[in-house]
């Protein structure tokens, strides 16, 4: 198997974008080509979840490869729910590692704001079990709400801990130009003040407005290649060292221990094992905080903290910039935004910036090993990536 | 007439699974993937719940309550709740009612009440 390196990266703002989806997808591709000075690729993978349903567009990869004038390169679309982005990176990894292709472009793109919030939520809810969940009106926030209640009762996580995740990630996003939300918040404002119930109403009890990520448009791109080509670009070398994926039951109610996220545990284990590193070697991580509770639980399941201790590490400040293990320096899904199919590529984009030392004010010092967790469904399909800075 | 929600009992190992899977989750037997259809019990214990304040647009109520119930046979089911003040661990009993109305389709599912 050949080693796989990240040559170029690009991203759009994660926000409401008034451009056609194809152009949203193409823009970070252009940025990534400029970033590494390449102008030809062998293969394009485009991750997207809802173009067929939300944007009335199918065959997105063919449209994007033409828009970037990269034909006759191969082009495939990847749909794997909210984990589409990291799944597409996994395909890119396999293509380069196997020797099939030398230069692979991976784009994640989504335009959800073309429809209203309720329609966007309903579109994401179509990934739930059609007969055992969807027909009851189950949405992703409601699955997260039921999960949060169990976690609170079992491990003593409180609304205050959840709010700490939101406050931290909003603060991190202040230094990220591309983030969806540039709005500092305080625990007092969203929990303690008399206005808190208006500022921060319940969405899916016990989860409130500020526990949920926004609905975003956006796209991100990674160009993956071999060691030889990556060296010629002159960019700091970042290697995609570990790829792990695992699945869990489709219906959330079916899980033996409903507070476990076994797919996260297994995907992270595989990713670390392939990269030959331990969770304690990680200097910076991007976790899939579509809901604040998920950042806490994932930080435990991937092995950063013991089960049930994630909220304690959070409260001690270990996971904020300047802490022992900064989590979501980009602002995370919570504040950077969550254009579903683009999210996994966006996470990888942030980790590459951090390992290159190009993250500006939110740079994690001496970042050597970076980790992403891209969480599909409600934990039924998870892809974890480990990146290593090379000399 | 009383409606039921049905589960699938593996003809080989007897494991009762809900929802349906083509291959039995317990014995993974792929030569005889045949099942008897058996009704799920209606009584159980509320494991967790949420009140959803922005239900999908085809609901006319401002909120819906959803819960996961552990049934008497150990199977777990997601359902709607019609309970004033739900509490985790409380005994509940289910009835099959209309749980979703899309333009031309009505879907029936389990709605739980205080036992």
């Amino acid at each position: 198997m050949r080693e796989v390196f990240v040559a170029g990266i690009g991203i759009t703002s994660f926000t409401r974008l008034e451009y056609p989806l194809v152009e949203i997808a193409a823009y970070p591709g252009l940025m990534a080509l400029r970033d590494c000075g390449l102008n030809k690729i062998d293969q394009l993978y485009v991750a997207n979840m809802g173009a067929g349903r939300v944007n009335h567009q199918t065959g997105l990869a063919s449209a994007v490869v033409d828009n970037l004038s990269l034909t006759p390169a191969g082009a495939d679309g990847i749909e794997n729910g909210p984990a589409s982005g990291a799944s597409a990176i996994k395909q890119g990894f396999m293509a380069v590692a196997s020797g099939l292709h030398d230069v692979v472009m991976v784009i994640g793109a989504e335009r959800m704001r073309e429809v209203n919030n309720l329609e966007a939520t309903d579109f994401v809810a179509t990934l739930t079990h059609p007969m055992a969940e969807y027909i009851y009106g189950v949405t992703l926030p409601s699955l997260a709400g039921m999960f949060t209640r169990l976690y609170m009762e079992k491990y003593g996580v409180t609304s205050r801990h959840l709010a700490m995740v939101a406050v931290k990630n909003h603060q991190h996003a202040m230094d990220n130009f591309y983030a969806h939300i540039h709005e500092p918040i305080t625990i007092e404002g969203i929990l303690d003040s008399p206005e808190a119930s208006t500022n921060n109403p319940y969405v899916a009890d016990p989860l409130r407005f500020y526990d949920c990520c926004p609905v975003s448009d956006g796209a991100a791109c990674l160009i993956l290649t071999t060691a030889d080509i990556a060296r010629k670009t002159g960019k700091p070398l970042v290697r995609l060292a570990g790829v792990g994926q695992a699945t869990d039951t489709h219906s959330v109610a079916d899980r033996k221990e409903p507070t476990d996220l076994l797919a996260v545990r297994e995907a992270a284990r595989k990713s670390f094992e392939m990269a030959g590193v331990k969770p304690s070697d990680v200097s910076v991580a991007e976790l899939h905080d579509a809901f604040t509770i998920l950042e806490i639980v994932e930080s435990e399941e991937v092995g950063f903290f013991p089960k049930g201790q994630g909220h304690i590490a959070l409260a001690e400040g270990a996971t904020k910039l300047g802490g022992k293990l900064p989590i979501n320096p980009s602002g995370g899904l919570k504040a950077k935004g969550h254009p579903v199919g683009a999210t996994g590529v966006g996470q990888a984009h942030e980790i590459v910036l951090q390992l290159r030392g190009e993250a500006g004010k939110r740079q994690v010092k001496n970042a050597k090993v970076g980790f992403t967790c891209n969480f599909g469904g409600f934990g039924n399909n998870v892809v974890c990536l480990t990146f290593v800075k090379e000399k | 007439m009383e409606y039921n929600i049905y589960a699938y009992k593996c003809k080989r190992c007897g494991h009762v699974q809900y929802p349906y899977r083509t291959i039995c989750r317990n014995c993974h037997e792929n030569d005889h993937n045949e099942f008897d259809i058996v009704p799920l019990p209606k009584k159980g214990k509320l494991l967790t719940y949420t009140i959803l304040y922005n239900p999908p647009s085809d609901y006319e109520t401002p909120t819906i309550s959803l819960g996961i119930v552990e049934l008497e046979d150990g199977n777990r089911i997601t359902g709607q709740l019609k309970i004033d003040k739900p509490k985790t661990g409380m005994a509940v009993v289910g009835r099959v009612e209309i749980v979703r109305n899309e333009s031309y389709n009505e879907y029936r599912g389990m709605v739980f009440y205080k036992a």
Side-chain angles (χ1 to χ4, degrees):
Chain A
M1 211 164 66
R2 300 196 292 183
E3 290 193 325
V4 179
F5 288 80
V6 182
I9 53 173
I11 198 162
T12 69
S13 283
F14 285 10
T15 177
R16 181 177 181 148
L17 295 170
E18 298 288 343
Y19 299 93
L21 174 63
V22 174
E23 289 174 30
I24 293 173
Y27 180 78
L30 168 67
M31 294 295 113
L33 289 169
R34 272 191 202 161
D35 181 46
C36 62
L38 296 170
N39 56 13
K40 259 185 161 165
I41 62 166
D42 301 315
Q43 172 73 34
L44 169 69
Y45 292 105
V46 178
N48 169 271
M49 181 175 166
R53 185 182 168 105
V54 176
N55 314 103
H56 209 69
Q57 163 129 38
T58 54
L60 187 61
S62 327
V64 174
V65 77
D66 175 67
N67 186 287
L68 285 167
S69 296
L70 291 169
T71 51
D76 287 322
I78 309 283
E79 194 273 303
N80 188 27
S84 299
S87 272
I89 294 176
K90 179 185 155 201
Q91 299 305 316
F93 174 89
M94 294 198 296
V96 175
S98 67
L100 186 64
H101 298 305
D102 290 336
V103 182
V104 173
M105 178 182 275
V106 181
I107 291 174
E110 201 74 58
R111 188 177 176 208
M112 304 169 78
R113 304 290 296 236
E114 193 165 338
V115 295
N116 66 41
N117 260 359
L118 278 177
E119 276 183 65
T121 306
D122 183 56
F123 137 64
V124 179
T126 58
L127 63 74
T128 61
H129 196 291
M131 297 316 291
E133 292 178 333
Y134 183 79
I135 59 158
Y136 291 99
V138 166
T139 58
L140 273 288
S142 61
L143 291 176
M146 291 194 282
F147 181 84
T148 305
R149 186 177 305 285
L150 286 171
Y151 225 80
M152 286 175 151
E153 287 181 359
K154 187 160 176 187
Y155 294 109
V157 175
T158 64
S159 295
R160 194 159 287 268
H161 293 111
L162 301 181
M164 284 178 203
V165 175
V167 169
K168 168 179 79 69
N169 291 352
H170 276 238
Q171 191 56 47
H172 289 176
M174 293 301 287
D175 289 324
N176 185 355
F177 173 80
Y178 298 103
H180 192 152
I181 299 172
H182 294 116
E183 175 195 61
I185 52 173
T186 60
I187 302 248
E188 201 202 347
I190 64 170
L191 222 52
D192 294 342
S193 72
E195 295 83 30
S197 59
T198 318
N199 290 344
N200 194 17
Y202 280 118
V203 171
D205 166 42
L207 290 178
R208 296 165 185 263
F209 180 76
Y210 280 100
D211 292 312
C212 306
C213 66
V215 173
S216 317
D217 303 334
C221 175
L222 247 62
I223 294 177
L224 301 176
T225 189
T226 61
D228 288 348
I229 297 175
R231 277 208 177 83
K232 281 182 203 149
T233 64
K235 285 278 168 186
L237 280 182
V238 175
R239 185 164 65 91
L240 175 49
V243 178
Q245 182 174 25
T247 52
D248 202 346
T249 62
H250 191 184
S251 148
V252 172
D254 245 7
R255 297 179 191 163
K256 234 176 226 153
E257 188 50 71
T259 47
D260 283 350
L261 294 175
L262 293 181
V264 175
R265 200 179 295 176
E266 183 63 6
R269 188 191 63 73
K270 287 182 188 170
S271 176
F272 285 132
E273 193 178 291
M274 186 194 274
V277 299
K278 301 188 293 295
S280 57
D281 297 326
V282 172
S283 1
V284 52
E286 287 277 307
L287 302 182
H288 194 110
D289 57 332
F291 305 100
T292 47
I293 184 72
L294 288 180
E295 181 179 302
I296 295 172
V297 184
E298 287 168 22
S299 74
E300 299 165 1
E301 295 288 12
V302 306
F304 295 151
F305 309 111
K307 189 78 181 160
Q309 306 277 305
H311 65 292
I312 297 168
L314 165 80
E316 287 168 351
T319 59
K320 63 181 173 197
L321 275 166
K324 205 177 78 183
L325 171 57
I327 293 177
N328 289 326
S330 69
L333 283 61
K334 176 69 206 74
K336 180 191 187 183
H338 186 21
V340 280
T343 287
V345 186
Q347 292 176 316
H349 177 277
E350 175 69 13
I351 291 301
V352 175
L353 273 187
Q354 292 284 349
L355 296 183
R356 283 179 173 186
E358 294 175 354
K361 279 191 186 164
R362 59 182 197 282
Q363 179 65 48
V364 175
K365 276 186 201 144
N366 299 320
K368 292 209 167 57
V369 177
F371 179 82
T372 67
C373 175
N374 193 190
F375 181 91
F378 196 80
N380 58 33
N381 199 326
V382 178
V383 183
C384 290
L385 306 174
T386 307
F387 294 86
V388 177
K389 181 182 182 173
E390 301 278 340
K391 286 196 183 113
Chain B
M1 176 185 165
E2 201 189 323
Y3 291 98
N4 281 302
I5 300 289
Y6 290 93
Y8 302 84
K9 186 174 180 182
C10 177
K11 283 193 174 174
R12 187 168 180 269
C13 75
H15 176 71
V16 177
Q17 62 178 3
Y18 173 84
Y20 175 76
R21 288 180 178 89
T22 301
I23 294 176
C24 172
R25 200 164 175 78
N26 185 51
C27 70
H28 302 273
E29 174 59 54
N30 52 21
D31 266 348
H32 308 279
N33 59 326
E34 288 177 7
F35 303 95
D36 288 321
I37 294 173
V38 295
L40 276 175
K42 302 265 171 77
K43 287 183 187 163
K45 182 179 83 170
L46 184 62
L47 211 65
T48 183
Y49 66 93
T50 186
I51 300 155
L52 185 59
Y53 287 80
N54 52 352
S57 47
D58 37 337
Y59 289 89
E60 281 164 9
T61 49
T63 65
I64 54 173
S65 298
L66 297 161
I68 295 177
V69 172
E70 188 161 287
L71 298 169
E72 281 175 340
D73 67 350
N75 267 303
R76 296 205 186 117
I77 181 170
T78 305
Q80 285 181 3
L81 307 182
K82 286 195 179 150
I83 299 172
D84 244 359
K85 283 185 183 142
K87 270 194 83 150
T88 54
M90 74 189 290
V92 293
V93 59
R95 267 188 241 157
V96 177
E97 297 176 2
I98 291 168
V99 289
R100 191 163 195 160
N101 256 310
E102 284 178 339
S103 16
Y104 294 101
N105 291 316
E106 283 176 347
Y107 294 98
R108 283 192 165 76
M110 202 81 103
V111 178
F112 288 97
Y113 294 82
K114 196 173 165 189

